[in-house]
Amino acid sequence: MRNARYNPREAEPRWQKIWNDRNTFRTRNDDSRPKYYVLEMFPYPSGRIHMGHVRNYAMGDVVARHKRAKGYCVLHPMGWDAFGMPAENAAMEKKSHPKAWTYANIATMKGQLKSMGLSLDWSREIATCDPAYYRHQQAMFIDFLKAGLVARKTSKVNWDPVDHTVLANEQVIDGRGWRSGALVEQRELTQWFLKITDYSQDLLDALAKLDRWPEKVRLMQQNWIGRSEGLLIRWALDKAPAGIDAVEVFTTRPDTLFGASFIAVAADHPLARAAAEKDARLAAFIEECQRMGTSVAVLETAEKKGYDTGIRAVHPFDSSWTVPVYVANFILMDYGTGAIFGCPAHDQRDLDFANAYGLAVTPVVRDRALSDAEANAQFDRHAPAAVDDGILFNSRFLDGLTVDAAFNEVADRLEASRLAGEPVGRRKVNFRLRDWGISRQRYWGCPIPVIHCEACGIVPVPKKDLPVELPEDVTFDVPGNPLDRHPTWKRVACPTCGRLARRETDTMDTFVDSSWYFARFTDPFNGTSPTTRAVVDRWLPVDQYIGGIEHAILHLLYSRFFTRAMRKTGHAGIDEPFAGLFTQGMVVHETYKSADGAWVEPAHVEIAAGPAGRTARDRRNGAAITIGSIEKMSKSKKNVVDPDDIIETYGADTARWFMLSDSPPERDVIWSEEGVQGAGRFVQKIWRLICEIADRPADRLADRMGSALLRTAHKTAKAVDDDIERLRFNRCVAHIHDLSNALATALGEGSETTTALREACEIMVRLFAPMMPHLAEECWEVLGHATPVSEAPFPVIDAELIIDLSITLPVQVNGKKRADVTVPADADRAAVETATLALEAVQRALEGRAPKKIIVVPKRIVNIVV
C-alpha cells in the first residue's frame, strides 16, 4: 500500500541504487548525439562536504539532467583536487601519511556526494594524487619543456616560513600565506616556471570572445594581465658606482616628466646592490626590504620606506636638473625594469613617498577649467594626488598639450635623442603578468620529472620511466621537504651518461593539477597519453563551468594558458577551456554566541519568535544565546550546517530544492531552518497531489485547447526550459510552485478531466526532476511509468497551447489606473475601446463625460483622456 507521506530515507537510496545498476549517467564517447559538457569545480578532499558544495553541485546537476532530457549526450564527471599542504599538515598533526588522510577523506566525501543523488559519471573519477593521473601531467611537462614553454631561472619568491614553500603572488593574502597565515618573506631561489607570458596578449585579446563569462571575472583577468603602453627612459647617473652610467625606467606617464622629483629602484636592482657594497646602512635596509612579501597587495599597503643612495639622476630634457636616487621598499624587480621615476603630484604612492622624505612636488597636469595660475594657486601637496586627465602646465614645451599629445611628444623627442649611442627613450608595451613559478618545496605534490646531472645538466626523465612516483616511506617530524632528506629516492642514474645524479625534489604547484583535469575527464581510460585528441577536441570546451569567484585569477587564468600549451604540444586543438562560466554566491548563516562569548553551532540553538522579536536559547541547557550577524559559513564561527544532518532529517531533495529556490544563484543564499522546513512541506504537498491524481479513474479529454490547466502546464514548461538555460533556478522553482497551485485548484474544483490533470502532472514531474530527482522518480512510478523519469525526454511543448487566447491590459483615466480590461488576444483597437468603456469602474471615473481621446498601446495599456 502506498504511503500517505513521502519517505526520502527509503526512496533516495533505492533510486540511487537503480541509477547505478542501470548505468543511467555513464557517458559513452562514441555517442552520436550532440554533446554537452557540464562541470563544477572539483573539490579538495578536506574531510567533509559543506553546504557550499551542496549548492554548487545541485546547480550543475540541474543543468546536466535538463540537457539529458533535451536529447544531449551529457558529460558530467567528478574528481578530487587531492595534492596540497593540508595533507602534509594533517600528517604532522595526526602522525599519519598524507596519502592515507587524503583517500580516507575522498571516501567520506564521495559517499556524501552520492547521497545527494547527483547525476555524475563516477566511472571517470580521477584524483590528482593518483600516479595514473600525474604520470600524464609529468609527460606534458616534458613536452612543454621541449616546446620552450618551461624555464628554470633564479628569481625573488614569496617564502612561507611555516609551510617552508614558495607561494605565487596570488597566494599571498594581506602579506600572509594563504594556507598557513604566516608573514611571507622574500627569498631568491632557482625554480621552474611555465612561460605564461608568451601568451599575455593572446590571453587578453581572447577575453572579448568569452561572452558567456561574468563581466567581473573578465575584468579581473584583464587587470591581472595588466597591459600598459609606455616608454622606457634611460636616465644618466651622477655619482654612481663604477661601471653603471645609467638607469632605465619604464613609465606609462612620460607626459609628467617635468614633475619628476626622484628615482626609486628595487632593493635587488643591480644599482642598489652595487651601491650597498660600500654602504653598510644601505645593505641593512635592503635586507629589511627582503623580509617583505613580493605581492602587489603587500607593497601597496606597506609603509613606504626608502634610502637615499647619494646618487643623482640627470633629467632627460635638462642636463642641469638632477633628482635623488632612492632604494625603495615598494618597487619590485619583476615589474617593469625595477625602477621608476616619481611624479608625486599625480601618483598617490609617489606623493606618500615624497611627503615622507620632504621631496619636491610639482603639479604638471591641470583641470581644463582652470588657468595655469589658478591650478598653481589651488595645489595642495597634502591633498590626494591628481590622477585625472587634463592639460599640461609647468612643463616647458609641453604646456597646453593634452596628456595623450604630451605622451607622443615626449616619446618622439626621446626616441630621437641619444645617450651613449642608444636612444634615450623607446616605446614599449608592458604586462603586469609574470611567468608562473610552479616549484614547491613540499612532498605531497606531483614530482617534477627532471634529473640534475653534473655532467649532462638538466635531463628530462624518459617517458618510459614515468610516473616518477612519490616514495611512501617519508617522515614529517621536522619542517621542510621530506624529499630532500630521503636517503635514497633522490639518488638516481643519469638517463644520458649513467653517472650518479639527483632527482628534482621540488614538486609542482597544485594549480598545475587543476589546470587540465577537465581535459583528462574526456578520456580518463587512456593509459598511454594525457588525452585522446579526437575525443578531447569533441568535448572541449566545457559548455558550462560552475564555481566560486575566488578562482577568477589563479585557476581560470592558468587553465586558459594550459589549453594553449596543450594545443602547441599537440594534446588538444582548442584555445579556451570553458565556453560558459557561472560563479555562484556563497551560503551564509546567522552566527550565535553564548554569554561567555563562545561561538555556538546552529544545531544547538532553538529560535523563538515573540512580541520583542526573535530570541534564541541553547537546546542543551536553556541558556540565552545572542543572535549575531549573517556571515559566510565557517568552522571558526561554527555557523555551519552539516549536509548529512539535513539529508538525514529532510532528504537530499529538500536540501537541493531550498538551495535552488531561496535566491538568484549568483547571490548569497541565507540558510534558515524555516526555509528548509518550507521546502520539506512542498515535497509532501507534491507527493499528496500526484498520488491523488494517480488514483483518479481514467476519462477522455474532448477539447485540449479549452483546458486552462494544460495551457498553464505547457507555458510553465516553456518558462522552466528558458530559465534553466539562463541558470535562473529560483525562477524555475517559482514557476513549478505556480503550476502545483494550479493543479491543486483544478483538482479541488473539479474543473478539469483526469486526462488533463495527468498530463499536467506528468509535465510538472519532468520539470522538477532535475531539481528533486528522487521525488520525481517516485512520482513518475506512481503515475504508472515503467522506466525512470531520469531517462524520459523533456515535455514536448504544444505551440498552440502557449499562445494566449486573451490578454489583460491596465486602464488609466487621466493618468490614474482605474481598472483592468481582458480582451481576446487578437482584438482590434475598436474592440479594445468598446470593452474598456463597458467597464463599470471606467464609467464611474468618467462621471458621464465623453472621452476626449482613447489611446490603445497594443498589448500594453489603455489610456483615456477626459
Side-chain angles (χ1 to χ4, degrees):
M1 184 175 177
R2 188 186 305 134
N3 290 328
R5 286 183 60 81
Y6 171 67
N7 183 359
R9 292 187 186 180
E10 186 279 326
E12 291 182 350
R14 175 163 47 83
W15 282 108
Q16 289 162 17
K17 184 178 186 304
I18 290 171
W19 296 330
N20 184 68
D21 292 345
R22 294 174 69 94
N23 289 322
T24 302
F25 308 123
R26 184 166 294 187
T27 305
R28 299 194 335 268
N29 282 339
D30 61 355
D31 194 313
S32 61
R33 292 175 297 169
K35 72 95 177 177
Y36 195 89
Y37 189 175
V38 57
L39 183 65
E40 305 90 357
M41 294 180 185
F42 64 168
Y44 180 77
S46 57
R48 302 184 66 79
I49 67 170
H50 51 71
M51 295 311 299
H53 289 128
V54 174
R55 190 183 196 202
N56 191 35
Y57 299 133
M59 290 178 183
D61 200 46
V62 170
V63 175
R65 288 176 177 272
H66 178 67
K67 287 295 183 179
R68 284 193 197 93
K70 295 283 286 184
Y72 287 86
C73 174
V74 173
L75 177 57
H76 188 209
M78 178 57 68
W80 310 96
D81 192 8
F83 273 137
M85 277 302 300
E88 288 192 40
N89 292 337
M92 288 184 275
E93 293 169 13
K94 304 177 186 298
K95 307 298 181 183
S96 64
H97 193 281
K99 180 179 179 180
W101 182 85
T102 299
Y103 278 101
N105 290 346
I106 286 175
T108 298
M109 294 175 69
K110 183 175 180 178
Q112 291 181 293
L113 291 177
K114 284 192 169 184
S115 72
M116 287 179 59
L118 302 172
S119 62
L120 295 165
D121 182 356
W122 283 105
S123 72
R124 296 175 184 250
E125 179 185 9
I126 58 176
T128 58
C129 65
D130 185 344
Y133 178 82
Y134 69 69
R135 68 172 291 190
H136 298 297
Q137 187 164 299
Q138 292 172 342
M140 282 198 293
F141 177 91
I142 292 169
D143 291 340
F144 291 0
L145 183 62
K146 292 177 180 177
L149 293 171
V150 178
R152 183 166 169 82
K153 55 188 176 182
T154 300
S155 71
K156 192 72 68 175
V157 298
N158 302 305
W159 179 259
D160 188 314
V162 172
D163 284 343
H164 289 263
T165 189
V166 170
L167 301 176
N169 281 337
E170 302 91 328
Q171 293 168 313
V172 179
I173 310 299
D174 296 329
R176 295 179 181 271
W178 73 318
R179 294 282 194 193
S180 70
L183 284 170
V184 169
E185 303 171 356
Q186 287 187 33
R187 288 195 183 180
E188 197 166 81
L189 291 179
T190 300
Q191 58 175 341
W192 293 97
F193 289 82
L194 293 180
K195 298 171 69 176
I196 190 173
T197 56
D198 285 5
Y199 295 93
S200 296
Q201 191 65 53
D202 183 34
L203 289 166
L204 181 63
D205 292 343
L207 287 171
K209 302 174 185 176
L210 298 177
D211 54 359
R212 290 180 52 223
W213 280 41
E215 181 58 32
K216 61 183 176 182
V217 174
R218 292 194 290 176
L219 181 60
M220 290 168 74
Q221 290 211 0
Q222 176 183 317
N223 291 339
W224 190 258
I225 295 168
R227 186 183 192 276
S228 56
E229 297 182 10
L231 199 66
L232 281 172
I233 302 176
R234 298 175 69 224
W235 294 64
L237 295 177
D238 186 24
K239 302 178 182 177
I244 303 178
D245 58 4
V247 62
E248 192 168 51
V249 168
F250 175 80
T251 178
T252 60
R253 294 294 306 273
D255 56 288
T256 63
L257 204 52
F258 287 100
S261 65
F262 65 92
I263 296 286
V265 301
D268 48 349
H269 192 283
L271 178 58
R273 291 187 179 279
E277 290 179 2
K278 296 182 179 180
D279 188 335
R281 291 174 57 208
L282 174 56
F285 177 75
I286 290 173
E287 185 176 344
E288 177 187 341
C289 293
Q290 290 173 339
R291 289 195 291 271
M292 297 174 59
T294 65
S295 73
V296 174
V298 169
L299 300 181
E300 288 179 347
T301 57
E303 179 187 357
K304 307 300 182 291
K305 294 182 179 180
Y307 184 93
D308 189 346
T309 63
I311 302 168
R312 306 289 293 187
V314 181
H315 196 283
F317 286 123
D318 187 342
S319 60
S320 66
W321 179 359
T322 64
V323 297
V325 177
Y326 280 78
V327 176
N329 68 346
F330 58 91
I331 310 297
L332 279 178
M333 274 304 299
D334 283 348
Y335 289 84
T337 62
I340 61 113
F341 82 79
C343 178
H346 305 291
D347 183 284
Q348 190 61 48
R349 179 190 60 181
D350 296 349
L351 181 59
D352 293 342
F353 189 79
N355 283 333
Y357 290 95
L359 302 173
V361 181
T362 303
V364 292
V365 180
R366 62 168 172 78
D367 189 293
R368 286 178 166 82
L370 300 177
S371 67
D372 291 0
E374 290 170 332
N376 280 320
Q378 293 182 16
F379 179 72
D380 178 2
R381 68 180 292 157
H382 298 293
V387 297
D388 295 334
D389 197 7
I391 299 298
L392 271 293
F393 76 124
N394 294 335
S395 296
R396 306 185 188 184
F397 57 83
L398 299 178
D399 286 353
L401 296 180
T402 64
V403 167
D404 288 344
F407 181 112
N408 289 322
E409 181 66 21
V410 170
D412 290 345
R413 291 196 182 209
L414 291 185
E415 284 179 330
S417 182
R418 291 289 182 274
L419 177 63
E422 297 291 330
V424 174
R426 289 185 293 117
R427 285 179 171 86
K428 188 178 189 310
V429 172
N430 197 45
F431 291 93
R432 182 173 177 267
L433 183 65
R434 292 295 172 260
D435 281 335
W436 174 12
I438 65 165
S439 296
R440 298 294 180 265
Q441 294 68 42
R442 61 179 177 228
Y443 165 77
W444 195 235
C446 173
I448 295 175
V450 297
I451 293 169
H452 300 272
C453 175
E454 289 188 5
C456 305
I458 292 173
V459 182
V461 173
K463 287 189 177 181
K464 65 180 178 59
D465 294 336
L466 299 179
V468 177
E469 293 194 46
L470 293 167
E472 295 200 16
D473 55 335
V474 291
T475 59
F476 298 90
D477 50 348
V478 296
N481 185 354
L483 296 177
D484 267 334
R485 58 179 183 269
H486 193 281
T488 60
W489 181 82
K490 64 181 180 181
R491 298 175 183 173
V492 64
C494 173
T496 302
C497 70
R499 296 181 184 180
L500 185 64
R502 178 181 61 84
R503 287 194 190 281
E504 173 63 68
T505 57
D506 284 354
T507 55
M508 296 187 198
D509 181 9
T510 55
F511 282 101
V512 177
D513 311 337
S514 59
S515 291
W516 73 284
Y517 79 107
F518 46 87
R520 184 63 184 169
F521 272 142
T522 65
D523 192 6
F525 319 107
N526 184 341
T528 59
S529 62
T531 62
T532 303
R533 180 61 184 269
V535 174
V536 75
D537 287 353
R538 184 205 172 197
W539 281 113
L540 291 183
V542 174
D543 296 281
Q544 186 62 63
Y545 198 37
I546 301 173
I549 189 68
E550 66 272 18
H551 298 294
I553 295 173
L554 286 172
H555 166 58
L556 292 172
L557 187 60
Y558 291 160
S559 297
R560 296 182 62 219
F561 158 71
F562 233 80
T563 53
R564 286 159 170 79
M566 291 174 71
R567 179 192 61 195
K568 183 171 183 177
T569 53
H571 295 294
I574 50 94
D575 291 338
E576 292 293 338
F578 314 118
L581 173 68
F582 183 79
T583 55
Q584 85 283 357
M586 296 183 296
V587 182
V588 298
H589 197 295
E590 282 182 332
T591 52
Y592 307 105
K593 278 188 176 181
S594 60
D596 61 0
W599 299 105
V600 181
E601 297 175 13
H604 300 319
V605 178
E606 183 176 353
I607 304 291
R614 298 167 72 246
T615 59
R617 290 195 171 276
D618 194 315
R619 296 180 188 272
R620 298 165 295 182
N621 55 27
I625 296 289
T626 301
I627 300 175
S629 58
I630 295 173
E631 298 189 36
K632 177 186 177 182
M633 285 189 180
S634 68
K635 293 179 182 178
S636 63
K637 296 182 179 177
K638 295 189 176 180
N639 63 333
V640 295
V641 176
D642 191 324
D644 282 1
D645 293 343
I646 299 302
I647 291 172
E648 174 67 20
T649 305
Y650 298 101
D653 284 348
T654 295
R656 290 168 60 125
W657 187 254
F658 172 73
M659 281 296 189
L660 296 166
S661 66
D662 189 68
S663 63
E666 67 276 9
R667 298 182 189 170
D668 293 348
V669 57
I670 302 174
W671 181 269
S672 70
E673 190 71 16
E674 297 88 345
V676 181
Q677 290 171 352
R681 287 192 295 271
F682 182 72
V683 166
Q684 296 300 332
K685 171 189 172 181
I686 291 292
W687 175 249
R688 291 192 301 270
L689 182 63
I690 289 176
C691 287
E692 187 172 350
I693 292 172
D695 290 339
R696 286 173 64 97
D699 59 13
R700 296 181 61 191
L701 176 61
D703 179 17
R704 282 177 56 77
M705 295 300 108
S707 171
L709 179 62
L710 288 184
R711 289 187 175 278
T712 298
H714 283 262
K715 287 180 180 179
T716 302
K718 179 68 167 62
V720 169
D721 189 23
D722 290 345
D723 281 331
I724 290 180
E725 292 290 341
R726 293 170 174 79
L727 307 183
R728 298 171 178 169
F729 306 116
N730 61 311
R731 293 181 57 167
C732 297
V733 168
H735 297 319
I736 293 167
H737 268 285
D738 291 343
L739 178 55
S740 71
N741 290 336
L743 262 167
T745 299
L747 182 63
E749 294 176 349
S751 58
E752 296 281 352
T753 64
T754 300
T755 302
L757 288 168
R758 285 184 66 90
E759 182 178 337
C761 237
E762 293 192 355
I763 288 174
M764 183 174 70
V765 171
R766 284 182 282 175
L767 295 184
F768 70 69
M771 305 161 198
M772 298 187 288
H774 310 90
L775 175 65
E777 295 287 14
E778 202 78 350
C779 292
W780 195 246
E781 188 175 71
V782 164
L783 290 168
H785 294 278
T787 56
V789 70
S790 51
E791 299 173 17
F794 191 80
V796 176
I797 299 169
D798 190 323
E800 293 187 19
L801 287 174
I802 64 174
I803 297 173
D804 287 319
L805 298 179
S806 62
I807 56 173
T808 300
L809 305 174
V811 178
Q812 291 185 347
V813 178
N814 285 346
K816 185 175 182 179
K817 184 180 177 183
R818 297 292 186 174
D820 292 304
V821 61
T822 300
V823 295
D826 58 355
D828 60 16
R829 182 180 297 274
V832 173
E833 291 181 4
T834 300
T836 300
L837 292 174
L839 294 173
E840 183 179 342
V842 171
Q843 288 299 317
R844 285 199 304 270
L846 290 176
E847 297 177 339
R849 296 170 294 178
K852 291 182 179 179
K853 185 185 297 184
I854 300 177
I855 304 168
V856 177
V857 181
K859 297 184 179 180
R860 290 187 60 188
I861 196 170
V862 180
N863 282 310
I864 300 175
V865 181
V866 293

